[in-house]
Amino acid sequence: MKICFMTSAVLMMPSVSLAYVSSSTVRRHQKPRTAVEMQMSDRGNMDTNLSKSRRYVLVSSILSSAVVLLPATNAFAERSLSTVTESYNRYVPRMVKGFRYLADEMPGQIDGGDFNNIISEITAEKGSRISAMKGTMKIFATAFSDSVLTQSTRELQLATLKVSNELDNVVTALKAGDKEKALEAQSQAVFYAQVYSELANTLLPRTLEPIQGPSGTGKRFREVDNSINGAF
């Protein structure tokens, strides 16, 4: 900033000097000013000086504000890191347990005709692995936003909603005795849960381990979708 001000001052000096010479030259051919004219000129100089002093105060205020805001930015970064870390330790373990059940156990239960246990697992409001998974996915998504929801949080929330909708489809298919549709809905639920985990991993600080999604920490099936938004 200091260099910018000095450069501006240097660039302005020639124009000021030329203006002064020009006015002096003109004044040689002008008649003497009256008292009223001199008074008006003095008043104009006072206004100019006042305007300059106001500019100096404004620049000083801007610089002071910038200095004051720097610690606040650092504090915000530290608070965000702390919030994400705390949420990760509290919610991710239960989320991963739900992922494992969804991807590893549920298909076998569907094939084995264990419909009632699956329906109870999915529809339970609390106390089941699936209910814990859905609840923690919803809460953890907000760890990446402060007072305003970020685009990443909205995408995580949308992925959570898609997982929940597909699980509802699993229940509907099981009640109708349709294993094929139940397995299809279960596969879609796995897909959207994987979308969630991979997006969350791109937002995590390096100090935290990547979230193990239903399909691990690998990339999603690119032949199905190439972008987060395209998945929805």
Side-chain angles (χ1 to χ4, degrees):
M1 295 295 290
K2 290 183 180 179
I3 295 176
C4 294
F5 289 141
M6 292 176 63
T7 304
S8 300
V10 172
L11 292 175
M12 290 175 62
M13 286 178 63
S15 61
V16 172
S17 178
L18 289 174
Y20 176 77
V21 172
S22 176
S23 62
S24 299
T25 304
V26 172
R27 284 173 184 169
R28 292 176 185 175
H29 304 283
Q30 290 178 343
K31 62 181 180 180
R33 294 184 299 172
T34 65
V36 174
E37 291 175 336
M38 293 178 64
Q39 184 176 2
M40 292 178 64
S41 177
D42 292 339
R43 182 174 179 180
N45 291 333
M46 290 177 63
D47 291 340
T48 301
N49 293 333
L50 180 59
S51 178
K52 290 180 179 179
S53 65
R54 286 174 177 171
R55 289 199 296 270
Y56 296 150
V57 171
L58 177 60
V59 172
S60 177
S61 299
I62 293 174
L63 293 175
S64 299
S65 300
V67 173
V68 171
L69 287 175
L70 285 175
T73 302
N74 293 334
F76 173 75
E78 292 175 1
R79 185 173 68 252
S80 298
L81 175 61
S82 175
T83 299
V84 172
T85 302
E86 181 180 353
S87 296
Y88 178 95
N89 293 333
R90 184 172 182 179
Y91 300 117
V92 169
R94 286 180 285 169
M95 186 191 306
V96 171
K97 286 183 179 180
F99 289 161
R100 294 275 56 83
Y101 169 75
L102 174 63
D104 300 337
E105 297 183 37
M106 187 180 293
Q109 289 181 322
I110 294 174
D111 283 331
D114 195 5
F115 296 173
N116 290 334
N117 284 335
I118 299 174
I119 293 173
S120 297
E121 180 74 30
I122 294 175
T123 58
E125 294 184 2
K126 60 181 180 178
S128 71
R129 286 167 291 184
I130 291 298
S131 64
M133 181 192 75
K134 292 189 294 184
T136 53
M137 288 173 69
K138 183 178 180 180
I139 298 173
F140 187 66
T142 62
F144 304 100
S145 294
D146 197 20
S147 57
V148 178
L149 290 182
T150 63
Q151 181 65 25
S152 296
T153 290
R154 293 182 184 277
E155 290 179 351
L156 288 172
Q157 290 175 334
L158 185 55
T160 302
L161 178 62
K162 289 290 187 178
V163 170
S164 182
N165 289 343
E166 293 300 336
L167 289 172
D168 289 341
N169 291 337
V170 171
V171 172
T172 301
L174 291 179
K175 288 182 177 180
D178 193 332
K179 288 184 179 181
E180 185 176 347
K181 286 188 176 180
L183 287 171
E184 182 181 349
Q186 177 271 339
S187 178
Q188 284 296 101
V190 166
F191 173 77
Y192 289 120
Q194 187 67 19
V195 170
Y196 181 102
S197 64
E198 290 186 17
L199 174 57
N201 285 338
T202 65
L203 305 172
L204 292 179
R206 294 182 179 180
T207 55
L208 298 176
E209 290 293 326
I211 298 173
Q212 294 287 331
S215 303
T217 57
K219 298 299 181 183
R220 291 177 291 124
F221 310 105
R222 294 190 178 278
E223 65 271 21
V224 176
D225 172 50
N226 288 322
S227 67
I228 291 296
N229 289 327
F232 306 130

